[in-house]
Amino acid sequence: MRVLIPGAMLGVVRYVVDVKKSDERLLGYFDKTVKEIGSRYEMSEIAEIPHIRETREAYKALGKSPSQYRNAAEAMLRRIVKGNGLYKINNVVEINNLISIRSGYSVGSYDKHALKGEIELRPAPAGERYEGIGKSDLNIENLPVLFDEEGAFGNPTSDSKRAMIQEGKREVMSVIYAFHLEQEELEKWLAEYRTLLEQFTDATAIQTEIIMTSK
């Protein structure tokens, strides 16, 4: 990763939260944001949104087709512009997706109790696959992937079912996948992530951190 994508960074938000169905306030904000974004872009413009373009370029650098394996931010924005909206899952996933469609970064949220040992971002080797959320038997080779001691569990296209966020009191790690050198831009969205958690959930022990592959 350091050689092929020297600007790669992870924006990490750790927190404890009661995961549950989104309330009317969050759903109202969610629907308003989706509607505004749907009227902001044409389909041809989505791939050129800065952070989406950077993720596409990172995929190319690793040898993965960014059109065949669209990153989550791009896939959601294409769905919105087509008028298909977004699924509602729970309060954590809704905030995850709000940050993603507003910023152009792909974002993943993971149940920390489903993870073991140290976590590392690296290109997945040839033949690597896992069962993705809504995408069974996903080919993840050459994608920038998060691994723990048990194997792969997350990437900017689709996360695995192993660490997916389910309802109940959870310790969560949300990750913003960034492929540029502007640390201030990522700091801005981490701050916005904290704001949305404080506004729409009961999240406590919120911590944010930027991890840079250049170090």
Side-chain angles (χ1 to χ4, degrees), residues 132-149:
I133 300 173
K135 297 181 180 182
S136 61
D137 193 30
L138 181 68
N139 174 1
I140 62 171
E141 65 178 48
N142 297 331
L143 283 173
V145 174
L146 290 173
F147 289 80
D148 69 352
E149 289 183 359

Side-chain angles (χ1 to χ4, degrees), residues 30-204:
F30 187 90
D31 289 338
K32 178 182 177 182
T33 302
V34 168
K35 183 177 180 181
E36 290 175 350
I37 288 176
S39 63
R40 184 184 307 170
Y41 298 111
E42 298 292 334
M43 191 68 70
S44 60
E45 298 173 326
I46 294 174
E48 294 305 315
I49 295 171
H51 300 320
I52 289 176
R53 184 181 66 247
E54 292 154 3
T55 304
R56 290 175 62 90
E57 290 171 354
Y59 279 27
K60 291 178 184 177
L62 294 174
K64 199 72 168 181
S65 168
S67 296
Q68 186 177 1
Y69 293 86
R70 297 190 194 279
N71 65 78
E74 181 178 2
M76 285 191 291
L77 284 169
R78 288 175 63 87
R79 182 179 174 87
I80 290 169
V81 171
K82 286 179 182 178
N84 294 330
L86 294 178
Y87 295 112
K88 279 100 169 193
I89 309 298
N90 58 53
N91 53 356
V92 168
V93 174
E94 263 80 274
I95 290 174
N96 180 120
N97 292 345
L98 278 167
I99 293 292
S100 189
I101 62 176
R102 288 176 55 199
S103 67
Y105 290 119
S106 291
V107 183
S109 290
Y110 312 101
D111 184 339
K112 288 189 67 179
H113 288 288
L115 305 176
K116 293 185 179 180
E118 293 187 354
I119 295 170
E120 183 179 48
L121 178 72
R122 64 176 187 263
E128 188 82 17
R129 313 180 78 88
Y130 64 45
E131 186 177 4
I133 300 173
K135 297 181 180 182
S136 61
D137 193 30
L138 181 68
N139 174 1
I140 62 171
E141 65 178 48
N142 297 331
L143 283 173
V145 174
L146 290 173
F147 289 80
D148 69 352
E149 289 183 359
E150 294 193 349
F153 68 87
N155 69 71
T157 287
S158 180
D159 296 316
S160 76
K161 284 188 174 181
R162 174 161 65 94
M164 68 185 292
I165 301 299
Q166 301 185 66
E167 293 188 12
K169 199 72 170 181
R170 304 289 176 184
E171 187 176 357
V172 178
M173 178 181 73
S174 295
V175 176
I176 301 174
Y177 295 91
F179 300 97
H180 58 72
L181 295 171
E182 296 85 12
Q183 189 169 341
E184 288 184 4
E185 174 73 2
L186 189 51
E187 288 173 348
K188 179 183 79 172
W189 287 105
L190 286 173
E192 179 63 10
Y193 215 123
R194 175 189 287 271
T195 296
L196 292 183
L197 287 171
E198 292 174 341
Q199 185 173 357
F200 295 115
T201 76
D202 66 350
T204 59

